[in-house]
Amino acid sequence: MPRPTAAQLAYGSCTVIFSTLAMLLLSQTSSGAGIAVIAVAALLLGLLVAMTVPMPKRTPAPAPRPVTDVAPPMPATAAREPVRESTAS
C-alpha cells in the first residue's frame, strides 16, 4: 500500500478538525456518547476525504536508448597537418 502524500494528510486532518467543530456546534450535545459518535464520524469523514484525493501518477522511467549519434572516424586523407605561419614581420 503506497504511503499517503502530504496533500492527503493535510486534507484529511483539516476535514477531521473542521467537521468535528461544526458537528459539535450544530448538535449542541454535551453527553459523552454524543461526542464519541461525532468524533468517530469526523474521523471516518477525514479518512474518506484523504483517500479520495488523487494520488500522483508514477510514470515508468524510459528505457535507455542506444547511442547512435557518434561521429564516424575521420579518414586518413583528412588528417590535420600542423599549421605553419610565416614569421615575416
Side-chain angles (χ1 to χ4, degrees):
M1 183 172 165
R3 294 183 178 198
T5 62
Q8 288 175 312
L9 292 174
Y11 286 138
S13 299
C14 289
T15 301
V16 170
I17 293 168
F18 291 128
S19 63
T20 302
L21 289 176
M23 287 189 279
L24 285 173
L25 290 174
L26 290 174
S27 69
Q28 297 179 352
T29 186
S30 60
S31 68
I35 293 173
V37 168
I38 288 174
V40 169
L43 285 173
L44 291 175
L45 185 62
L47 183 64
L48 176 70
V49 167
M51 293 322 236
T52 57
V53 172
M55 294 282 288
K57 294 181 180 177
R58 295 184 183 205
T59 57
R65 296 185 308 152
V67 179
T68 57
D69 54 343
V70 176
M74 289 182 22
T77 58
R80 294 184 180 171
E81 294 183 14
V83 177
R84 296 183 185 162
E85 295 181 10
S86 63
T87 57
S89 314

